[in-house]
Amino acid sequence: MYNRMPPVALAYPAAPAAAVREKPLDLRQLFRFLVSNSPLIAIITALFVGATLIYVTTTPPTFVSSAQLMFESQTATSADAQRVLAEEAVVEGQMEIMKSGDVLQAVVRTLGLTADPEFKSDHQPLTDIARSILSIGSVSEPTGRPTARSPEEQLENYTIATLRSRLWIRRVGQSTVIEISASSSHPGKTALIANAVAEQYISQNVRMKSQSARLSSEWLSQRVADIREAVFAADRALLQFQASGETGSQFKLAELKSVSATYRRLYETYLQSWSEAQQRISYPVSDAIFVSRATTPVAKSQPKSTLLLAFALVLGLSFGVVVAIVRHFGNRLVTSADRIAAEADAPCVGEISQAGRAKPKRSGRAPDLLRPDGYGAREWFDRDLRDLKATIGGLRRNRKANLIGLVGTETRAGVTTLAFNLARLASASGSTTLLIDASATNPTLSEVFGKMGATGLMEMLNSPRAYADFIARIERPLMILPIGAFRDVTPGERIGSERIAFNFADLKERFDLILVDLPPLSESADAKAIAPHLDGSIVVCRYGISSVDSLIETVNALREVGADVLGVILNARPQRKKMKEKPYHESRTTAQSPRTEGSLETNVAGSRVRNG
């Protein structure tokens, strides 16, 4: 129950040589980091999932249907590699023909898509508007055609462009099968469009083959007529030579027979080709046949609600973790002991849980600096305070440091509260303790415990008699020395002059522990003047308020003047777990010493300095 849990933080870059060694990132640290940033990650994930839900619920469903055609390739070469390349080229060419304007225009006109609200638009495309603006003043193109298009033509072209964007034509593997897929918000329309594109392609292919056969037939017809005349001429020449009765020229006779036979064979070949072309004209056959026709889909294809939500969840979690990491390392506020050790090059000697707000001052009583808002906060605060006291006790033994100053990175660091509570606990354990208020900018201890005109630190620095009088009045384990009266010269300036009536070292013979409440460097330079005269200094920073830069500046400033920085205290850390609250009167009746657990006034009522 009393085990101290390490702070939630990721590993930071290692400090320079002789600094605290960087701790490796382990799974427990990562888990604690994720838990501490779970609200941020949950909010970002919820935003991603919420946006996806809005998209899924507001986007109309899209259905997809596919038809398949097999293209009969007629390429035949001796090399297989060349045949494969030829087939790929032919198939790619046929796929482009399927997406051509002629095929899609026939589909649009056949299905009447220009009147379909899904494909119809009341606005002209931006390209047409720009083209119309640029064509102002032009009457006709060089070919004589008008540059402006009719509204019907513009609407048809827009419908063709919309249809092309909703078609996917691909080759199935390395085969000659071509798949035509169409999408629409109506299931039945997808099958109609896919089948219509396939049918119009086949019709286009048949027309192209028929036109090619017609052109071939016309050319072959002319060639057949020419070769027929050549055959007649060769036959006439042969008959005339035979009728002439010339028997001595056998070579010429053989030549005439060979020419006549050649022309006759050529004539028969062209005549057969012309006959085949005539057949292709009368009965053209397409190179593509249906493998399967498109059918009405039974389920929507887009949006895939389950897949999108799962993807949004994963993406939201990932983005949330990234944002948390960026926020963690980009945040320059002190939030962990690891960060203090890594960046400030000083060990974190203690972490104090947040004790709640101080109770307002009541008439005739001093404000209670200890009493938290709830019992759980009080217990964590006391537990961390005792742990800090034990750590400082170890430093005192190892470093021979009994004269310690506490300086905050800023006013709200809580130095005065920590100094008083540490002094209270030390005196309760039997150590004679002196708490000195040297904070000229915020002398809280002097306001609570000092009397008007009472002898304080400034009087002791100026007069040996005041010092002797203070030493003679030591009666209690805990003594509090207020700052005293000052106007233009602060305690730090007075000590820095080195013309003082006593040294802090003189007090070490009278007290086991001396704590000095120093002002923050951001408000006064007294800490830099007083710290070198002490055995050591401890810097106090506040969780989530003190910046790392101000902490580094404070530590470096103290070291520059020769002060020994013993470590850093992380104050007002959030409570590690929620404890059941008890009424305040119950917490006061627990079996604990009223001297160590009561209010500030009760604990030091008999220890207040009696000056005058």
Side-chain angles (χ1 to χ4, degrees):
M1 178 178 178
Y2 291 92
N3 291 336
R4 299 177 65 248
M5 296 177 61
V8 179
L10 294 177
Y12 286 87
V20 180
R21 187 177 60 182
E22 177 187 357
K23 294 182 180 180
L25 177 63
D26 57 16
L27 294 179
R28 290 180 299 177
Q29 274 187 318
L30 180 60
F31 178 75
R32 287 192 295 270
F33 171 78
L34 294 177
V35 171
S36 63
N37 290 275
S38 57
L40 175 63
I41 298 175
I43 291 174
I44 295 177
T45 304
L47 291 177
F48 274 82
V49 174
T52 305
L53 281 175
I54 294 174
Y55 170 77
V56 169
T57 54
T58 57
T59 303
T62 301
F63 299 88
V64 176
S65 184
S66 301
Q68 290 185 339
L69 295 178
M70 185 175 66
F71 181 77
E72 296 180 353
S73 176
Q74 298 178 356
T75 58
T77 58
S78 57
D80 291 339
Q82 294 180 359
R83 180 179 61 80
V84 172
L85 293 176
E87 282 185 355
E88 289 182 355
V90 171
V91 172
E92 290 291 336
Q94 298 305 314
M95 291 170 60
E96 293 300 322
I97 293 175
M98 293 179 186
K99 295 184 290 186
S100 64
D102 292 340
V103 173
L104 298 185
Q105 184 183 53
V107 173
V108 169
R109 294 178 178 179
T110 302
L111 300 180
L113 296 181
T114 53
D116 193 328
E118 187 177 357
F119 294 87
K120 183 180 179 181
S121 176
D122 297 331
H123 305 282
Q124 294 184 5
L126 295 178
T127 54
D128 289 345
I129 296 176
R131 192 177 293 111
S132 300
I133 295 175
L134 294 176
S135 64
I136 293 177
S138 301
V139 178
S140 62
E141 294 179 349
T143 58
R145 292 185 60 188
T147 57
R149 293 181 294 179
S150 63
E152 292 78 9
E153 185 179 358
Q154 294 179 6
L155 179 59
E156 186 177 62
N157 290 339
Y158 180 82
T159 306
I160 292 174
T162 305
L163 176 61
R164 183 179 287 113
S165 66
R166 301 193 177 199
L167 284 177
W168 295 273
I169 300 176
R170 68 181 186 91
R171 182 182 182 184
V172 180
Q174 298 298 321
S175 66
T176 58
V177 176
I178 300 176
E179 184 178 76
I180 305 172
S181 301
S183 65
S184 175
S185 58
H186 301 281
K189 195 185 299 181
T190 58
L192 290 176
I193 294 175
N195 290 329
V197 171
E199 292 169 356
Q200 292 300 327
Y201 163 74
I202 292 176
S203 299
Q204 179 74 5
N205 184 261
V206 169
R207 286 193 298 271
M208 292 175 61
K209 291 178 69 66
S210 178
Q211 183 179 4
S212 176
R214 185 176 293 105
L215 294 175
S216 178
S217 175
E218 293 176 357
W219 183 81
L220 288 173
S221 177
Q222 183 64 33
R223 291 295 298 164
V224 166
D226 294 341
I227 294 174
R228 184 171 59 247
E229 292 298 330
V231 170
F232 290 158
D235 289 344
R236 282 195 300 270
L238 178 60
L239 292 175
Q240 288 176 1
F241 181 78
Q242 290 177 347
S244 64
E246 296 181 6
T247 58
S249 181
Q250 297 296 327
F251 292 102
K252 185 175 181 179
L253 179 61
E255 180 183 359
L256 290 175
K257 288 182 178 179
S258 176
V259 171
S260 176
T262 301
Y263 275 113
R264 189 172 295 280
R265 288 194 298 271
L266 187 61
Y267 174 73
E268 292 175 353
T269 301
Y270 273 91
L271 185 62
Q272 183 180 358
S273 299
W274 178 76
S275 177
E276 293 175 354
Q278 289 296 109
Q279 291 179 1
R280 290 197 298 271
I281 294 174
S282 59
Y283 186 70
V285 178
S286 174
D287 293 332
I289 59 174
F290 268 102
V291 176
S292 63
R293 288 184 174 270
T295 58
T296 302
V298 295
K300 67 177 182 178
S301 299
Q302 297 291 339
K304 299 183 182 298
S305 304
T306 304
L307 182 62
L308 287 177
L309 289 175
F311 179 74
L313 180 63
V314 174
L315 186 62
L317 290 173
S318 303
F319 190 74
V321 172
V322 171
V323 171
I325 293 175
V326 172
R327 174 174 171 267
H328 180 81
F329 286 102
N331 184 11
R332 297 299 295 171
L333 299 180
V334 180
T335 56
S336 69
D338 289 342
R339 191 165 195 175
I340 293 173
E343 298 200 27
D345 191 16
C348 181
V349 297
E351 300 176 54
I352 307 299
S353 298
Q354 190 171 10
R357 299 177 181 176
K359 298 296 179 179
K361 185 174 181 179
R362 293 173 290 182
S363 59
R365 293 175 61 89
D368 189 350
L369 301 181
L370 281 178
R371 186 180 301 170
D373 292 338
Y375 176 77
R378 170 69 171 274
E379 188 162 300
W380 279 115
F381 178 77
D382 289 344
R383 187 177 308 165
D384 293 340
L385 200 63
R386 286 182 170 83
D387 184 78
L388 175 61
K389 172 183 170 293
T391 303
I392 293 178
L395 292 174
R396 290 169 53 195
R397 291 189 297 271
N398 297 332
R399 308 281 286 270
K400 305 297 183 182
N402 294 331
L403 181 55
I404 301 174
L406 278 74
V407 55
T409 57
E410 57 185 13
T411 306
R412 296 180 295 173
V415 175
T416 302
T417 301
L418 287 179
F420 171 77
N421 284 281
L422 286 173
R424 176 181 60 85
L425 289 179
S427 64
S429 62
S431 300
T432 55
T433 307
L434 174 63
L435 177 58
I436 303 176
D437 184 6
S439 179
T441 59
N442 188 24
T444 304
L445 289 173
S446 300
E447 294 174 358
V448 175
F449 300 101
K451 293 182 179 181
M452 188 68 83
T455 302
L457 176 62
M458 290 297 295
E459 287 76 15
M460 292 173 56
L461 293 173
N462 296 323
S463 172
R465 180 178 298 178
Y467 171 72
D469 181 65
F470 174 78
I471 296 298
R473 296 187 182 188
I474 298 177
E475 301 174 357
R476 302 286 181 178
L478 174 60
M479 296 292 292
I480 297 179
L481 179 62
I483 192 171
F486 66 94
R487 179 175 297 178
D488 298 327
V489 180
T490 62
E493 295 172 347
R494 189 72 179 86
I495 295 173
S497 66
E498 297 186 356
R499 301 182 63 85
I500 53 179
F502 83 101
N503 292 320
F504 284 110
D506 299 336
L507 297 174
K508 296 171 63 175
E509 301 177 358
R510 302 285 183 174
F511 296 93
D512 298 326
L513 174 64
I514 303 173
L515 296 177
V516 183
D517 181 10
L518 299 174
L521 294 182
S522 60
E523 297 185 358
S524 174
D526 284 5
K528 296 172 65 175
I530 299 175
H533 299 273
L534 308 179
D535 295 338
S537 299
I538 297 178
V539 180
V540 181
C541 61
R542 192 176 184 89
Y543 181 96
I545 294 180
S546 302
S547 67
V548 176
D549 299 327
S550 63
L551 174 61
I552 295 174
E553 292 175 1
T554 302
V555 172
N556 292 339
L558 293 176
R559 287 174 175 170
E560 287 175 359
V561 297
D564 184 11
V565 179
L566 302 178
V568 180
I569 298 175
L570 180 58
N571 192 23
R573 173 183 171 170
Q575 300 171 33
R576 279 156 286 196
K577 67 178 181 178
K578 219 172 183 182
M579 300 182 64
K580 184 177 180 181
E581 294 188 359
K582 294 184 179 180
Y584 182 68
H585 68 275
E586 292 184 14
S587 64
R588 294 193 54 154
T589 58
T590 54
Q592 297 181 10
S593 172
R595 181 177 182 181
T596 60
E597 299 299 331
S599 65
L600 182 147
E601 182 189 10
T602 304
N603 285 307
V604 298
S607 305
R608 187 174 296 179
V609 179
R610 295 184 292 247
N611 293 314

